[in-house]
Amino acid sequence: MTICAGKSTLEVRDAIIHQRWTPGSEVDARDAEESVRAVRALGGDTPRPLLLEMSDVSMSAAARNVYEHAQSVCAVALVGATLVDRVVAATMRRHDFCPHEFFTSAQDALAWLRQFDGQQFDGGRGH
């Protein structure tokens, strides 16, 4: 499915939600809110692992705040290619409701996420 006026796509593969932001996108709070709603709809009642591809994407502080309070997934693997991507990923890791890791390879990210399928977390204390 395409969301956020074409800036992002979402799909579920093997119980993992895969979100890909179009390189060069600027993500604002409205985009973040829409993507959180879409992820919740795809995940149903069970928070699922999220593979988030975000190469060359800028994210506003308001968007990061939306994600920080979303609690709609059980783990997040952020995939990027640049130092800026790594910095954006680091700013998204401040919450502790689920594990987050940064990867430069989608395959490595998927391997890491597979350990979390079907798990739920208790504010960061259960992982």
Side-chain angles (χ1 to χ4, degrees):
M1 103 179 28
T2 301
I3 61 170
C4 303
K7 294 181 193 178
S8 183
T9 59
L10 277 172
E11 64 181 312
V12 178
R13 283 189 246 154
D14 299 324
I16 295 173
I17 297 173
H18 185 163
Q19 182 172 17
R20 181 178 296 121
W21 287 97
T22 302
S25 294
E26 295 182 12
V27 181
D28 60 24
R30 184 175 301 155
D31 296 325
E33 290 166 356
E34 182 178 341
S35 72
V36 167
R37 283 191 304 273
V39 164
R40 283 187 179 136
L42 284 175
D45 292 334
T46 304
R48 303 221 176 264
L50 173 66
L51 173 67
L52 180 58
E53 290 190 47
M54 47 174 265
S55 293
D56 191 29
V57 172
S58 64
M59 193 164 300
S60 72
R64 288 191 304 272
N65 187 55
V66 169
Y67 286 123
E68 205 171 303
H69 296 94
Q71 299 190 18
S72 55
V73 297
C74 67
V76 180
L78 300 120
V79 179
T82 68
L83 181 58
V84 172
D85 297 337
R86 189 176 296 272
V87 170
V88 170
T91 64
M92 294 179 69
R93 294 181 66 177
R94 290 181 296 175
H95 63 73
D96 66 354
F97 70 84
C98 75
H100 278 67
E101 288 294 331
F102 179 82
F103 298 88
T104 55
S105 158
Q107 292 167 332
D108 291 344
L110 281 170
W112 180 79
L113 283 173
R114 286 190 182 102
Q115 69 182 309
F116 299 105
D117 183 31
Q119 291 186 23
Q120 295 190 27
F121 291 89
D122 56 357
R125 294 177 298 277
H127 60 272

PDB file of all heavy atoms in Angstrom, residues 2 12 19 28 30-31 36 45 51 72 76 78 82 94 97 106-108 113 117 122-123 127:
ATOM      1  N   THR A   2       0.454   2.258  -0.688  1.00  0.00           N
ATOM      2  CA  THR A   2       1.173   3.523  -0.743  1.00  0.00           C
ATOM      3  C   THR A   2       0.503   4.496   0.224  1.00  0.00           C
ATOM      4  O   THR A   2      -0.719   4.597   0.264  1.00  0.00           O
ATOM      5  CB  THR A   2       1.147   4.097  -2.171  1.00  0.00           C
ATOM      6  OG1 THR A   2       1.752   3.151  -3.046  1.00  0.00           O
ATOM      7  CG2 THR A   2       1.909   5.406  -2.249  1.00  0.00           C
ATOM      8  N   VAL A  12       3.322  -6.357   4.280  1.00  0.00           N
ATOM      9  CA  VAL A  12       3.656  -7.367   5.277  1.00  0.00           C
ATOM     10  C   VAL A  12       4.226  -8.563   4.536  1.00  0.00           C
ATOM     11  O   VAL A  12       3.618  -9.065   3.590  1.00  0.00           O
ATOM     12  CB  VAL A  12       2.418  -7.797   6.099  1.00  0.00           C
ATOM     13  CG1 VAL A  12       2.790  -8.876   7.094  1.00  0.00           C
ATOM     14  CG2 VAL A  12       1.807  -6.597   6.806  1.00  0.00           C
ATOM     15  N   GLN A  19       8.304  -1.055   5.791  1.00  0.00           N
ATOM     16  CA  GLN A  19       7.993   0.294   5.348  1.00  0.00           C
ATOM     17  C   GLN A  19       9.211   0.876   4.660  1.00  0.00           C
ATOM     18  O   GLN A  19      10.320   0.822   5.188  1.00  0.00           O
ATOM     19  CB  GLN A  19       7.592   1.199   6.517  1.00  0.00           C
ATOM     20  CG  GLN A  19       7.224   2.596   6.046  1.00  0.00           C
ATOM     21  CD  GLN A  19       6.635   3.464   7.129  1.00  0.00           C
ATOM     22  OE1 GLN A  19       6.757   3.171   8.320  1.00  0.00           O
ATOM     23  NE2 GLN A  19       5.982   4.538   6.738  1.00  0.00           N
ATOM     24  N   ASP A  28       6.999  14.697   7.978  1.00  0.00           N
ATOM     25  CA  ASP A  28       6.508  15.605   9.010  1.00  0.00           C
ATOM     26  C   ASP A  28       5.562  14.843   9.942  1.00  0.00           C
ATOM     27  O   ASP A  28       5.344  13.640   9.772  1.00  0.00           O
ATOM     28  CB  ASP A  28       5.828  16.832   8.391  1.00  0.00           C
ATOM     29  CG  ASP A  28       4.637  16.479   7.507  1.00  0.00           C
ATOM     30  OD1 ASP A  28       4.020  15.405   7.662  1.00  0.00           O
ATOM     31  OD2 ASP A  28       4.301  17.321   6.647  1.00  0.00           O
ATOM     32  N   ARG A  30       2.349  14.870  10.272  1.00  0.00           N
ATOM     33  CA  ARG A  30       1.181  14.301   9.589  1.00  0.00           C
ATOM     34  C   ARG A  30       1.543  12.982   8.904  1.00  0.00           C
ATOM     35  O   ARG A  30       0.799  12.010   8.980  1.00  0.00           O
ATOM     36  CB  ARG A  30       0.623  15.304   8.578  1.00  0.00           C
ATOM     37  CG  ARG A  30      -0.646  14.809   7.908  1.00  0.00           C
ATOM     38  CD  ARG A  30      -1.247  15.842   7.002  1.00  0.00           C
ATOM     39  NE  ARG A  30      -1.544  17.032   7.794  1.00  0.00           N
ATOM     40  CZ  ARG A  30      -1.629  18.250   7.295  1.00  0.00           C
ATOM     41  NH1 ARG A  30      -1.433  18.455   6.001  1.00  0.00           N
ATOM     42  NH2 ARG A  30      -1.904  19.281   8.058  1.00  0.00           N
ATOM     43  N   ASP A  31       2.709  12.945   8.254  1.00  0.00           N
ATOM     44  CA  ASP A  31       3.171  11.701   7.622  1.00  0.00           C
ATOM     45  C   ASP A  31       3.376  10.615   8.672  1.00  0.00           C
ATOM     46  O   ASP A  31       2.981   9.462   8.472  1.00  0.00           O
ATOM     47  CB  ASP A  31       4.495  11.925   6.884  1.00  0.00           C
ATOM     48  CG  ASP A  31       4.384  12.881   5.723  1.00  0.00           C
ATOM     49  OD1 ASP A  31       3.339  12.904   5.036  1.00  0.00           O
ATOM     50  OD2 ASP A  31       5.370  13.617   5.494  1.00  0.00           O
ATOM     51  N   VAL A  36       1.811   5.554  11.266  1.00  0.00           N
ATOM     52  CA  VAL A  36       1.508   4.808  12.492  1.00  0.00           C
ATOM     53  C   VAL A  36       0.127   4.152  12.372  1.00  0.00           C
ATOM     54  O   VAL A  36      -0.048   2.980  12.711  1.00  0.00           O
ATOM     55  CB  VAL A  36       1.597   5.714  13.740  1.00  0.00           C
ATOM     56  CG1 VAL A  36       0.978   5.050  14.954  1.00  0.00           C
ATOM     57  CG2 VAL A  36       3.043   6.089  14.010  1.00  0.00           C
ATOM     58  N   ASP A  45      -4.193  -6.767  16.025  1.00  0.00           N
ATOM     59  CA  ASP A  45      -4.113  -6.713  17.487  1.00  0.00           C
ATOM     60  C   ASP A  45      -2.729  -7.047  18.034  1.00  0.00           C
ATOM     61  O   ASP A  45      -2.474  -6.868  19.213  1.00  0.00           O
ATOM     62  CB  ASP A  45      -5.128  -7.689  18.108  1.00  0.00           C
ATOM     63  CG  ASP A  45      -6.555  -7.245  17.860  1.00  0.00           C
ATOM     64  OD1 ASP A  45      -6.774  -6.030  17.671  1.00  0.00           O
ATOM     65  OD2 ASP A  45      -7.445  -8.102  17.855  1.00  0.00           O
ATOM     66  N   LEU A  51      10.480  -3.396   9.651  1.00  0.00           N
ATOM     67  CA  LEU A  51      11.685  -3.088   8.889  1.00  0.00           C
ATOM     68  C   LEU A  51      11.432  -1.731   8.250  1.00  0.00           C
ATOM     69  O   LEU A  51      10.506  -1.573   7.455  1.00  0.00           O
ATOM     70  CB  LEU A  51      11.936  -4.138   7.808  1.00  0.00           C
ATOM     71  CG  LEU A  51      13.081  -3.839   6.843  1.00  0.00           C
ATOM     72  CD1 LEU A  51      14.408  -3.879   7.568  1.00  0.00           C
ATOM     73  CD2 LEU A  51      13.073  -4.818   5.687  1.00  0.00           C
ATOM     74  N   SER A  72       3.352   0.844  18.434  1.00  0.00           N
ATOM     75  CA  SER A  72       2.528  -0.005  17.580  1.00  0.00           C
ATOM     76  C   SER A  72       3.280  -1.196  16.998  1.00  0.00           C
ATOM     77  O   SER A  72       2.717  -1.973  16.237  1.00  0.00           O
ATOM     78  CB  SER A  72       1.934   0.835  16.438  1.00  0.00           C
ATOM     79  OG  SER A  72       2.964   1.494  15.728  1.00  0.00           O
ATOM     80  N   VAL A  76      12.042  -2.581  15.921  1.00  0.00           N
ATOM     81  CA  VAL A  76      12.258  -1.780  14.720  1.00  0.00           C
ATOM     82  C   VAL A  76      13.693  -1.951  14.251  1.00  0.00           C
ATOM     83  O   VAL A  76      14.631  -1.707  15.014  1.00  0.00           O
ATOM     84  CB  VAL A  76      11.988  -0.276  14.963  1.00  0.00           C
ATOM     85  CG1 VAL A  76      12.231   0.531  13.687  1.00  0.00           C
ATOM     86  CG2 VAL A  76      10.582  -0.045  15.487  1.00  0.00           C
ATOM     87  N   LEU A  78      16.001  -0.274  11.539  1.00  0.00           N
ATOM     88  CA  LEU A  78      16.105   0.873  10.645  1.00  0.00           C
ATOM     89  C   LEU A  78      17.245   0.614   9.670  1.00  0.00           C
ATOM     90  O   LEU A  78      18.356   0.274  10.100  1.00  0.00           O
ATOM     91  CB  LEU A  78      16.386   2.137  11.454  1.00  0.00           C
ATOM     92  CG  LEU A  78      15.301   2.454  12.468  1.00  0.00           C
ATOM     93  CD1 LEU A  78      15.875   2.480  13.864  1.00  0.00           C
ATOM     94  CD2 LEU A  78      14.654   3.761  12.129  1.00  0.00           C
ATOM     95  N   THR A  82      23.725   6.211   4.951  1.00  0.00           N
ATOM     96  CA  THR A  82      24.642   7.315   5.181  1.00  0.00           C
ATOM     97  C   THR A  82      24.789   7.620   6.668  1.00  0.00           C
ATOM     98  O   THR A  82      24.001   7.142   7.490  1.00  0.00           O
ATOM     99  CB  THR A  82      24.152   8.594   4.473  1.00  0.00           C
ATOM    100  OG1 THR A  82      22.956   9.045   5.124  1.00  0.00           O
ATOM    101  CG2 THR A  82      23.895   8.357   2.995  1.00  0.00           C
ATOM    102  N   ARG A  94      15.304   6.794  21.190  1.00  0.00           N
ATOM    103  CA  ARG A  94      15.239   7.314  22.556  1.00  0.00           C
ATOM    104  C   ARG A  94      14.171   6.646  23.409  1.00  0.00           C
ATOM    105  O   ARG A  94      14.303   6.611  24.620  1.00  0.00           O
ATOM    106  CB  ARG A  94      15.013   8.820  22.535  1.00  0.00           C
ATOM    107  CG  ARG A  94      16.225   9.557  22.024  1.00  0.00           C
ATOM    108  CD  ARG A  94      16.001  11.021  22.043  1.00  0.00           C
ATOM    109  NE  ARG A  94      14.920  11.345  21.118  1.00  0.00           N
ATOM    110  CZ  ARG A  94      14.401  12.541  20.969  1.00  0.00           C
ATOM    111  NH1 ARG A  94      14.835  13.534  21.689  1.00  0.00           N
ATOM    112  NH2 ARG A  94      13.454  12.753  20.098  1.00  0.00           N
ATOM    113  N   PHE A  97      10.148   1.332  24.594  1.00  0.00           N
ATOM    114  CA  PHE A  97       9.067   0.357  24.610  1.00  0.00           C
ATOM    115  C   PHE A  97       9.380  -0.862  23.753  1.00  0.00           C
ATOM    116  O   PHE A  97       8.728  -1.890  23.886  1.00  0.00           O
ATOM    117  CB  PHE A  97       7.724   0.983  24.208  1.00  0.00           C
ATOM    118  CG  PHE A  97       7.619   1.364  22.752  1.00  0.00           C
ATOM    119  CD1 PHE A  97       7.256   0.440  21.798  1.00  0.00           C
ATOM    120  CD2 PHE A  97       7.864   2.657  22.362  1.00  0.00           C
ATOM    121  CE1 PHE A  97       7.151   0.791  20.469  1.00  0.00           C
ATOM    122  CE2 PHE A  97       7.758   3.027  21.034  1.00  0.00           C
ATOM    123  CZ  PHE A  97       7.402   2.089  20.090  1.00  0.00           C
ATOM    124  N   ALA A 106      19.365  -4.609   4.423  1.00  0.00           N
ATOM    125  CA  ALA A 106      18.000  -5.069   4.714  1.00  0.00           C
ATOM    126  C   ALA A 106      18.010  -6.548   5.106  1.00  0.00           C
ATOM    127  O   ALA A 106      17.225  -6.960   5.963  1.00  0.00           O
ATOM    128  CB  ALA A 106      17.085  -4.833   3.516  1.00  0.00           C
ATOM    129  N   GLN A 107      18.889  -7.337   4.514  1.00  0.00           N
ATOM    130  CA  GLN A 107      18.954  -8.765   4.855  1.00  0.00           C
ATOM    131  C   GLN A 107      19.374  -8.966   6.307  1.00  0.00           C
ATOM    132  O   GLN A 107      18.806  -9.792   7.019  1.00  0.00           O
ATOM    133  CB  GLN A 107      19.895  -9.501   3.905  1.00  0.00           C
ATOM    134  CG  GLN A 107      19.352  -9.559   2.498  1.00  0.00           C
ATOM    135  CD  GLN A 107      20.399 -10.009   1.500  1.00  0.00           C
ATOM    136  OE1 GLN A 107      21.600  -9.808   1.693  1.00  0.00           O
ATOM    137  NE2 GLN A 107      19.943 -10.611   0.413  1.00  0.00           N
ATOM    138  N   ASP A 108      20.366  -8.207   6.765  1.00  0.00           N
ATOM    139  CA  ASP A 108      20.787  -8.296   8.162  1.00  0.00           C
ATOM    140  C   ASP A 108      19.672  -7.824   9.092  1.00  0.00           C
ATOM    141  O   ASP A 108      19.450  -8.400  10.156  1.00  0.00           O
ATOM    142  CB  ASP A 108      22.046  -7.460   8.405  1.00  0.00           C
ATOM    143  CG  ASP A 108      23.277  -8.031   7.721  1.00  0.00           C
ATOM    144  OD1 ASP A 108      23.254  -9.216   7.314  1.00  0.00           O
ATOM    145  OD2 ASP A 108      24.271  -7.278   7.598  1.00  0.00           O
ATOM    146  N   LEU A 113      15.228  -9.044  12.972  1.00  0.00           N
ATOM    147  CA  LEU A 113      13.801  -8.907  13.304  1.00  0.00           C
ATOM    148  C   LEU A 113      13.093 -10.244  13.511  1.00  0.00           C
ATOM    149  O   LEU A 113      12.143 -10.321  14.289  1.00  0.00           O
ATOM    150  CB  LEU A 113      13.066  -8.139  12.203  1.00  0.00           C
ATOM    151  CG  LEU A 113      13.253  -6.639  12.184  1.00  0.00           C
ATOM    152  CD1 LEU A 113      12.606  -6.052  10.940  1.00  0.00           C
ATOM    153  CD2 LEU A 113      12.685  -6.007  13.443  1.00  0.00           C
ATOM    154  N   ASP A 117       9.262 -11.891  16.172  1.00  0.00           N
ATOM    155  CA  ASP A 117       7.920 -12.153  15.671  1.00  0.00           C
ATOM    156  C   ASP A 117       7.038 -12.716  16.781  1.00  0.00           C
ATOM    157  O   ASP A 117       7.381 -13.697  17.437  1.00  0.00           O
ATOM    158  CB  ASP A 117       7.962 -13.127  14.495  1.00  0.00           C
ATOM    159  CG  ASP A 117       6.595 -13.362  13.909  1.00  0.00           C
ATOM    160  OD1 ASP A 117       5.762 -12.436  13.954  1.00  0.00           O
ATOM    161  OD2 ASP A 117       6.354 -14.472  13.432  1.00  0.00           O
ATOM    162  N   ASP A 122       7.310  -4.937  27.460  1.00  0.00           N
ATOM    163  CA  ASP A 122       6.759  -4.242  28.627  1.00  0.00           C
ATOM    164  C   ASP A 122       7.593  -3.010  28.962  1.00  0.00           C
ATOM    165  O   ASP A 122       8.259  -2.966  29.978  1.00  0.00           O
ATOM    166  CB  ASP A 122       6.684  -5.181  29.826  1.00  0.00           C
ATOM    167  CG  ASP A 122       8.038  -5.806  30.173  1.00  0.00           C
ATOM    168  OD1 ASP A 122       9.025  -5.551  29.443  1.00  0.00           O
ATOM    169  OD2 ASP A 122       8.115  -6.516  31.176  1.00  0.00           O
ATOM    170  N   GLY A 123       7.565  -2.045  28.061  1.00  0.00           N
ATOM    171  CA  GLY A 123       8.288  -0.809  28.335  1.00  0.00           C
ATOM    172  C   GLY A 123       9.790  -0.972  28.335  1.00  0.00           C
ATOM    173  O   GLY A 123      10.492  -0.234  29.003  1.00  0.00           O
ATOM    174  N   HIS A 127      12.957  -7.312  27.108  1.00  0.00           N
ATOM    175  CA  HIS A 127      13.774  -7.783  25.990  1.00  0.00           C
ATOM    176  C   HIS A 127      15.228  -7.883  26.346  1.00  0.00           C
ATOM    177  O   HIS A 127      15.745  -7.515  27.278  1.00  0.00           O
ATOM    178  CB  HIS A 127      13.596  -6.906  24.752  1.00  0.00           C
ATOM    179  CG  HIS A 127      13.962  -5.480  24.938  1.00  0.00           C
ATOM    180  ND1 HIS A 127      13.061  -4.557  25.400  1.00  0.00           N
ATOM    181  CD2 HIS A 127      15.114  -4.802  24.760  1.00  0.00           C
ATOM    182  CE1 HIS A 127      13.648  -3.373  25.463  1.00  0.00           C
ATOM    183  NE2 HIS A 127      14.900  -3.508  25.079  1.00  0.00           N
TER     184      HIS A 127
END
